[in-house]
């Protein structure tokens, strides 16, 4: 049996009164953020500096790939870690941190 707990983050209200639509963050996601805030005073997130999109069958075919897999680098942030590492728009990432991207 799964156990869920969440923190409410917002309640949608066009008129000032609740209409029963709320938004929450699962506690498993909120806890590490709270721990970082306590320890460092801010959140610490890794970033690569890329925008990616899935590789569709059409994209795979146009690039000469045998099948659709990985992530297509759509853009690279100026002076971001990806640019410094030599990643360029149009690159296909099929493995990250020794793990294959799902197909």
């Amino acid at each position: 049996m799964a156990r869920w707990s969440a923190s409410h983050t917002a309640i949608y209200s066009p008129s000032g009164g609740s209409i029963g639509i709320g938004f929450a963050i699962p506690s498993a996601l909120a806890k590490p953020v709270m721990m970082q805030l306590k320890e460092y005073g801010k959140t610490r997130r890794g970033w690569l500096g890329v925008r990616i999109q899935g590789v569709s069958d059409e994209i795979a075919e146009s690039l000469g790939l045998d099948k659709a897999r990985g992530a297509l680098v759509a853009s690279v942030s100026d002076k971001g870690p990806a640019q410094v590492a030599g990643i360029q728009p149009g690159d296909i990432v099929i493995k990250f941190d020794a793990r294959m991207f799902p197909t």
Side-chain angles (χ1 to χ4, degrees):
M1 181 173 147
R3 183 172 176 189
W4 290 87
S5 178
S7 299
H8 294 286
T9 59
I11 295 176
Y12 176 71
S13 175
S15 65
S18 175
I19 59 172
I21 299 174
F23 303 93
I25 298 172
S27 59
L29 293 177
K31 186 175 180 180
V33 172
M34 291 178 359
M35 291 172 63
Q36 288 177 12
L37 289 171
K38 284 181 182 179
E39 186 172 348
Y40 305 109
K42 61 182 179 180
T43 59
R44 296 168 42 141
R45 304 277 180 178
W47 72 291
L48 296 176
V50 295
R51 291 189 59 201
I52 60 170
Q53 68 183 62
V55 177
S56 65
D57 290 334
E58 294 80 16
I59 291 172
E61 183 179 345
S62 74
L63 296 172
L65 300 174
D66 58 341
K67 64 179 180 176
R69 64 180 175 184
L72 172 68
V73 177
S75 65
V76 178
S77 298
D78 254 357
K79 299 180 185 163
Q83 185 182 56
V84 171
I87 295 174
Q88 300 177 3
D91 286 350
I92 303 287
V93 180
I94 58 171
K95 190 189 306 187
F96 182 78
D97 196 24
R99 291 186 226 156
M100 296 296 287
F101 269 67
T103 56

